[in-house]
Amino acid sequence: MPVSPISILNPSALDAYTDLRSVPKHRHFGRNDIIDRLRLAVPFDYISISGLDVDHYRFGHGFSIDTDMPPAFLEAYDADRLFSVDPFILVAQSSTSIVVEREVYAEHEPPPRLIYLQRTFGLHNRTLIPVMRNDVIYGAICLARSTPFEESELNFLSVVAGSIHTAVTKPLMDRFAADQLRLSKGEIACLAQASLGLTSEAIAVATGYQPDTVNSYIKSAVKKLGAMNRTQAIAEAIRRRLIT
């Protein structure tokens, strides 16, 4: 598993990708303001933001990870398939509360290879905060540092984890909102025509749909985009680059 140097927080980073599946799944970022500000509140050595609130991309599937952990560690970890035997990850996948590495290791002995890699790259005391929507764990924030996190720090991290996850993954969610929102081709086509100022009747002529179908598509698109009306839906679709 090669780790891509792409940072999705770069405004043009996703321009070359046609869909969510084509974006590198494991991405290594350098300095960025969001993570730097979090470090001011709670110092840490490394951070990993994983999972998206999209089917097949949720935490545990390994299909979306933004991190500043050493790429060599991640590549060795993946090559040795340690994710399948790492007790920390196995416990975290089904936990709805904070998972602390030393507590997991006290009950489940980690494989020697994992301990070797952690010591080699200085990645200690992993602590994972799950990010949830209702009862669904769709994301996680994992931090590591040389000393364990204090209870007050964990309380703070629990409060801000969702916001940090949203801020970091927002470019992906916005860029590929069609995947997230399941907008159909018909809904996008009707919105695109509506953005030109066409009436439903004119959109029907342009798209080949019946007027009632056009109205139905636009109504469902308004709902999916969380808009109040057609105008707001068009503005939101343009902002998300679903239409131009």
Side-chain angles (χ1 to χ4, degrees):
M1 173 208 68
V3 179
S4 170
I6 180 178
S7 171
I8 61 174
L9 295 178
N10 184 315
S12 60
L14 300 173
D15 289 352
Y17 302 102
T18 58
D19 56 30
L20 186 56
R21 292 182 296 277
S22 64
V23 178
K25 305 300 186 290
H26 299 81
R27 304 169 293 269
H28 186 272
F29 59 80
R31 296 285 301 275
N32 71 68
D33 290 342
I34 295 171
I35 303 305
D36 286 347
R37 288 180 180 274
L38 180 61
R39 271 196 173 95
L40 291 177
V42 179
F44 54 87
D45 298 326
Y46 299 110
I47 186 171
S48 176
I49 300 96
S50 57
L52 299 172
D53 194 8
V54 180
D55 288 346
H56 308 301
Y57 286 85
R58 296 192 177 103
F59 170 70
H61 292 277
F63 290 136
S64 180
I65 299 176
D66 292 283
T67 184
D68 61 0
M69 292 180 180
F73 168 83
L74 297 173
E75 291 170 0
Y77 184 95
D78 185 73
D80 293 340
R81 297 186 59 82
L82 291 175
F83 53 82
S84 64
V85 294
D86 183 351
F88 175 76
I89 295 300
L90 296 177
V91 169
Q93 288 177 346
S94 59
S95 177
T96 58
S97 58
I98 294 176
V99 179
V100 178
E101 182 183 82
R102 69 179 185 277
E103 295 176 358
V104 174
Y105 282 5
E107 297 186 11
H108 308 280
E109 184 176 357
R113 175 61 173 167
L114 175 57
I115 294 299
Y116 170 78
L117 289 176
Q118 287 188 276
R119 289 174 178 170
T120 299
F121 292 99
L123 203 148
H124 304 292
N125 295 305
R126 289 176 297 169
T127 301
L128 182 139
I129 300 96
V131 179
M132 304 177 63
R133 172 177 51 78
N134 298 326
D135 295 327
V136 177
I137 302 171
Y138 66 85
I141 304 291
C142 181
L143 304 104
R145 76 178 184 193
S146 57
T147 57
F149 294 95
E150 299 176 0
E151 183 177 356
S152 60
E153 293 175 321
L154 294 178
N155 290 338
F156 173 79
L157 290 170
S158 296
V159 172
V160 303
S163 298
I164 294 296
H165 188 280
T166 297
V168 172
T169 61
K170 189 175 187 299
L172 272 175
M173 299 297 281
D174 283 355
R175 174 70 174 83
F176 303 109
D179 287 346
Q180 173 198 5
L181 301 171
R182 295 185 175 83
L183 288 175
S184 69
K185 292 182 180 179
E187 290 164 346
I188 293 175
C190 290
L191 279 179
Q193 295 299 320
S195 71
L196 302 177
L198 301 184
T199 63
S200 295
E201 289 72 20
I203 294 172
V205 173
T207 61
Y209 297 125
Q210 294 297 318
D212 287 346
T213 302
V214 169
N215 288 330
S216 178
Y217 276 147
I218 291 178
K219 183 178 179 180
S220 61
V222 168
K223 182 178 180 180
K224 290 180 181 180
L225 288 165
M228 297 295 293
N229 50 46
R230 179 183 299 204
T231 300
Q232 286 187 6
I234 293 169
E236 184 65 12
I238 292 173
R239 186 185 74 81
R240 292 175 179 266
R241 292 191 286 180
L242 294 173
I243 61 176
T244 57

